[in-house]
Amino acid sequence: MSNFVQSLRLWFAPERIREDGDTPDYRFSLANERTFLAWLRTALALIGGGFAVDQFLPDLRWGWRIGLALALLVSGVLCSLRAVNHWVRCERAMRRGDDLPSSRFPTVLSLAVAVVALAMVVVVLFGWEG
């Protein structure tokens, strides 16, 4: 648990990462930052999709509409939180000369988006109206 707390503290004090290990090649740090930004763009797209489902599908049965919208919104929130966590973990690993951390999150996120997309296909094909 202390490793998680230490990582969480670095979210709000990234300058403390410099205290750990050696400075990596700047190209790697910048690539790590670009990956972070890509995760944030994905999070924003998921959040926007959640709002779009809720606002632009008023004829969809309430349970379906809310369920799909919440699935997208929660995925977006988790994606944005995972982005900063992954950035910190990768930056620390590069400074220490360790292997980059692996993660199951991309798989979980992909499966969540696929399930929502399949549900939307069913809704579009069968037109389940409220």
Side-chain angles (χ1 to χ4, degrees):
M1 185 57 113
S2 69
N3 195 18
F4 173 74
V5 171
Q6 186 179 13
S7 250
L8 191 60
R9 287 181 182 156
L10 291 174
W11 288 18
F12 301 100
E15 66 278 358
R16 292 189 61 201
I17 290 175
R18 293 185 181 135
E19 299 169 2
D20 198 6
D22 299 321
T23 302
D25 185 328
Y26 289 106
R27 293 174 292 180
F28 300 124
S29 289
L30 293 172
N32 189 28
E33 185 176 336
R34 285 190 301 274
T35 302
F36 166 75
L37 294 172
W39 279 100
L40 284 184
R41 285 190 301 272
T42 301
L44 288 170
L46 290 165
I47 291 167
F51 280 116
V53 165
D54 184 52
Q55 294 299 309
F56 298 117
L57 297 175
D59 294 335
L60 188 61
R61 192 175 291 164
W62 183 85
W64 277 97
R65 191 180 81 235
I66 296 302
L68 294 172
L70 284 177
L72 289 168
L73 291 168
V74 168
S75 294
V77 168
L78 292 175
C79 189
S80 66
L81 294 174
R82 183 65 179 129
V84 69
N85 180 262
H86 188 71
W87 176 82
V88 166
R89 291 175 62 215
C90 286
E91 197 65 29
R92 289 178 75 202
M94 287 187 298
R95 295 187 72 77
R96 293 176 175 176
D98 295 339
D99 289 339
L100 293 178
S102 61
S103 175
R104 291 186 186 103
F105 186 76
T107 302
V108 172
L109 181 63
S110 296
L111 290 173
V113 170
V115 166
V116 170
L118 286 173
M120 292 300 296
V121 166
V122 169
V123 167
V124 168
L125 287 177
F126 297 105
W128 288 351
E129 296 180 1

